[in-house]
Amino acid sequence: MARLFSPRPPPSEDLFYETYYSLSQQYPLLLLLLVIVLFGLLALLAVAWASGRELASDPGFLTTMLCGLGGFSLLLGLASREQRLQRWTRPLSGLVWAALLALGHGFLFTGGVVSAWDQVSFFLFVIFTVYAMLPLGMRDAAAAGLASSLSHLLVLGLYLGPQPDSQPALLPQLAANAVLFLCGNVAGAYHKALMERALRATFREALSSLHSRRRLDTEKKHQEHLLLSILPAYLAQEMKAEIMARLQAGQGSRPESTNNFHSLYVKRHQGVSVLYADIVGFTRLASECSPKELVLMLNELFGKFDQIAKEHECMRIKILGDCYYCVSGLPLSLPDHAINCVRMGLDMCRAIRKLRAATGVDINMRVGVHSGSVLCGVIGLQKWQYDVWSHDVTLANHMEASGVPGRVHITGATLALLAGAYAVEDAAMEHGDPYLRELGEPTYLVIDPRAEEEDEKGTAGGLLSSLEGPKMRPSLLMTRYLESWGAAKPFAHLSHVESPVSTSTPLPEKALSSFSPQWSLDRSRTPRGLDDELDTGDAKFFQVIEQLNSQKQWKQSEDFNPLTLYFREKEMEKEYRLSALPAFKYYTACTFLVFFSNFIIQMLVTNRPPALTITYSVTFLLFFLLLFVCFSEHLTKCVLKGPKMLHWLPTLSVLVATRPGLRVALGTATILLIFSMAITSLVFLPAASNCPFRAPNVSSTASNLSWELPGSLPLISVPYSMHCCVLGFLSCSLFLHMSFELKLLLLLLWLAASCSLFLHSHAWLSDCLIARLYLGTLDSRPGVLKEPKLMGAISFFIFFFTLLVLARQNEYYCRLDFLWKKKLRQEQEETETMENLTRLLLENVLPAHVAPQFIGQNRRNEDLYHQSYECVCVLFASVPDFKEFYSESSINHEGLECLRLLNEIIADFDELLSKPKFSGVEKIKTICSTYMAATGLNATSGQDAQQDAEQSCSHLGTMVEFAVALGSKLDVINKHSFNNFRLRVGLNHGPVVAGVIGAQKPQYDIWGNTVNVASRMESTGVLGKIQVTEETACALQSLGYTCYSRGIIKVKGKGQLCTYFLNTDLTRTGPPSATLG
């Protein structure tokens, strides 16, 4: 598009535009021109016959008419096929022009005495239509228009120059003709330039709209993929509607709800199976990995699990560290959901066995499966993650925790649904899981029927470790092996979605190279036919171009009324009529040229009576006043230097451009002024029929009689008054944006007035001119072509219908231009909304500083995103009492109302993130009633290491304030819900690795010992307290917080640790407290 807007478009686009222009705009006009000429010739024959003239007695006239009818009928036949026109546009246009010119010269020398005013109106018609109706470029049209003018002037000058002095003065008439032709050329060129500009603007807007539509489609696909990467389809539309409502409301928070509750997107599903899987030994392996290796390893592992889940119709729910859990039977019920989960568990164990056999790394897979019912959906306002809740989910989790590495551990409920599909064995109950022991139900281990076959095969392929050498780290061995699995990268699907098309996107290369008559001209070809041979983008391109064809105006449309061209939407029609028109001043300037031409003509062909001069002087004054009003804004600098009382004058131009009523009034007044001045000379001619050349005593030898009526103007002013009336018709077409109905009214008014003047009230003047011209000849009645009043009336009608066709065409394209601009604005606004929606969705999955890596111009889907940080503060905040609060009964809709309260808690926590002081806090995820967040993730890699400890860990204070704010929010919820929930918080800081994993449902997460210890700080903490490690306590004390020692406690996986409680009752107190000892 940038190239299209350049002053000189590239040849391919310019050629395409010219093709579009000639086909969509000029093709129907060319046909209408030929039809008008044919009907004009038939009208001449009809008038000649109706006036009682013997056609046979004038063989020259009859021959000219028959040749004209035959020639233009042949041209109409040649032009009736668009394919032929496109291929031979220039030659065919040249033939039409040459035929019109030949017809005009034939008319000159047919039917009687040749005069200087003969066929001036017809040549004016030829000149104007060359510009307005023939598919020629501006240069070709100007050359044809000037050639037409010169041919008339030269032929008459050469022919009439040697004539006797009995003819009226030739030079003034030729000068008047030259002024007429010059005005016709300027008016035609101006009309063509305006239409060219309007058409090119419409063409650009159509292409911009096409590109905007492609971009909009792309954004829709992006946000659809993003939404479906977070949520199942059945929830996506409902939640998308809420996001759109938030965007339209112009706020990031939720719209106010009438019941004061946040929206809850949770539904209950029965008949599902839940699978939990944990990679045994992964924590130790991860500690040996580099950040890139860790993220790659996790992405490949869980990418493989996602592929297995897809094969077995399971939906992955969430990834928690190295724990993976999914559900079968969502969102659609499946009769074999239990078998699906068991098969998936077996395949996961099999994949890990192959990995262990190939790399020698000591890891395994522990899987637990249970069948029952779940509540599933999304809670909270930010970082949506589809999740499941119920006692059955809890049981499945315990089944995994108490399972056997390499085996699938199932409950009796799942076994019953297997219907003997797999052999099982009783699981030993020595695992000591208190939850399962309390239930007292037997559990089982599934026997993998393919396990023995794999054991027999062993490692026939050889260990990768033996090939790579004994010194390679296990993590590197695993990484190299996992790369062979080829799991998709996160958001890789966005790479396959067509990238957004900016406004600088050029025309489709395929469209330009393949554009031919067969594409756009064969209207029997359907859009589906296009799709079969072109790609979707090019098909849409040609469909848009097809909508610009002017023949569409006569067909049923969703936008226009085919008869009136009014917009079907009343608001759009009102907006169109009230739209500003800055170009109005140029319309008036060009009509002034027509007025000035009329003035010169009148001065040349009359004896310039004082009354006529005074009338024109007054009219000039009115015109100058009008031009001053229209162009006053260009005089701003001059006016501002003058008196203050005149400073309002420049606003007049703005008023004219923006007030439709004022424009209509001024435009109508201007046209009526030109109409009235075109016939002003008739006022100074006698109204009574008193022609001295019809007197009986006038002999044939009285050749020295004057051409003037006694005490009046010369008779030759009569035909030139008709020619001035024709220029008045042309002035109406110069107001390009004037409504069609107003143009029709003015043209009808002027047609009626002109015909009544020259055919009725002042018809005797034409007869008197004929009597003077044919004085002394035997036949005083010339042919119809030489009788001014008849030829004038026919010219009026021809120009009336021609300008009516152009007015309709102009109206259609003005409205089409307005429509495309409006569509473009709407699509740009919708695209902007979609881009904001995509951004919100992406930032709901990823932190704001990570999102640009996956969308827009900076998208880098070829690489996995990973980042290491030296100092990140990790928070785990849980509401342990919620586990006891949660119950499933008919009263609370099987736990749904309990989740509604949890949704309120999490949503209120999320609302804190929108506060400026917590802008550095990043929510990671929620795990049931546990809230995980971190600070320090928006720092640049390596930045922390270059700063001193106090600066690098300053964000710890933000996290403490956030934790205190969480407790305050929970107190408010307790007050309104009559509960006594208490928060348990664990904090830790240190190095972490951040990354995005999972192709099916990309998930941002952080890993490392810092995260594990922070989780243990929460799980071993005390209600109402913030527990921190000794290192974190020291860092917080340096920031002015008070901590006191809890003592040494046993932490799973970490041994004995000395922990501290943060004194949240105190704010920063200045010097460090001695309680840390």
Side-chain angles (χ1 to χ4, degrees), residues 224-416:
E224 183 180 353
H225 280 96
L226 284 169
L227 201 57
L228 293 179
S229 73
I230 311 168
L231 310 167
Y234 79 98
L235 265 183
Q237 292 304 317
E238 189 177 354
M239 300 196 74
K240 177 183 173 183
E242 181 175 337
I243 299 179
M244 293 293 287
R246 285 161 54 187
L247 285 174
Q248 291 170 1
Q251 56 184 13
S253 60
R254 65 186 175 91
E256 291 296 325
S257 179
T258 54
N259 59 7
N260 294 323
F261 282 105
H262 296 84
S263 299
L264 180 65
Y265 302 101
V266 175
K267 295 183 180 180
R268 184 171 182 81
H269 283 266
Q270 295 181 334
V272 300
S273 292
V274 184
L275 177 148
Y276 269 83
D278 187 70
I279 304 174
V280 181
F282 185 80
T283 304
R284 179 178 53 80
L285 180 67
S287 64
E288 303 173 2
C289 295
S290 66
K292 183 176 181 179
E293 289 172 350
L294 176 61
V295 175
L296 175 62
M297 191 184 306
L298 288 169
N299 186 71
E300 294 291 340
L301 278 171
F302 294 131
K304 179 67 172 180
F305 296 161
D306 285 344
Q307 293 174 10
I308 296 172
K310 187 175 181 180
E311 292 171 3
H312 297 299
E313 297 182 285
C314 295
M315 178 192 292
R316 189 244 286 175
I317 302 299
K318 197 179 287 187
I319 297 169
L320 302 174
D322 58 352
C323 179
Y324 182 103
Y325 66 101
C326 62
V327 176
S328 181
L330 284 180
L332 300 176
S333 297
L334 296 172
D336 50 355
H337 56 86
I339 295 177
N340 290 342
C341 277
V342 170
R343 284 177 179 169
M344 178 174 176
L346 293 174
D347 283 351
M348 292 171 81
C349 292
R350 191 174 300 116
I352 294 298
R353 280 200 300 271
K354 288 181 179 179
L355 173 64
R356 186 174 65 246
T359 63
V361 177
D362 186 19
I363 61 169
N364 215 326
M365 180 62 73
R366 192 171 57 218
V367 179
V369 179
H370 173 59
S371 303
S373 59
V374 298
L375 290 166
C376 56
V378 174
I379 61 172
L381 301 177
Q382 295 193 21
K383 296 296 186 294
W384 288 331
Q385 289 185 353
Y386 190 69
D387 212 342
V388 290
W389 305 266
S390 71
H391 290 316
D392 291 324
V393 175
T394 305
L395 178 54
N397 191 2
H398 284 277
M399 290 295 294
E400 175 272 314
S402 62
V404 177
R407 303 293 298 274
V408 177
H409 191 198
I410 65 173
T411 61
T414 303
L415 178 62

Side-chain angles (χ1 to χ4, degrees), residues 568-576:
R568 296 191 183 276
E569 294 182 17
K570 292 184 179 180
E571 285 300 319
M572 187 180 292
E573 180 66 25
K574 183 179 178 181
E575 185 181 349
Y576 170 75

Side-chain angles (χ1 to χ4, degrees), residues 755-820:
C755 289
S756 63
L757 277 172
F758 294 105
L759 290 178
H760 180 62
S761 63
H762 289 71
W764 67 273
L765 291 170
S766 174
D767 297 335
C768 189
L769 178 61
I770 293 300
R772 174 64 184 87
L773 190 63
Y774 288 86
L775 189 66
T777 59
L778 295 176
D779 186 7
S780 62
R781 194 180 189 193
V784 67
L785 294 170
K786 301 296 183 179
E787 190 163 352
K789 64 180 181 182
L790 293 180
M791 227 21 223
I794 292 173
S795 298
F796 295 154
F797 275 95
I798 287 176
F799 270 94
F800 171 78
F801 287 111
T802 302
L803 295 177
L804 209 60
V805 166
L806 289 173
R808 166 86 183 196
Q809 195 82 350
N810 294 348
E811 175 84 357
Y812 175 69
Y813 271 98
C814 289
R815 288 178 175 272
L816 191 64
D817 181 56
F818 175 82
L819 178 66
W820 280 105

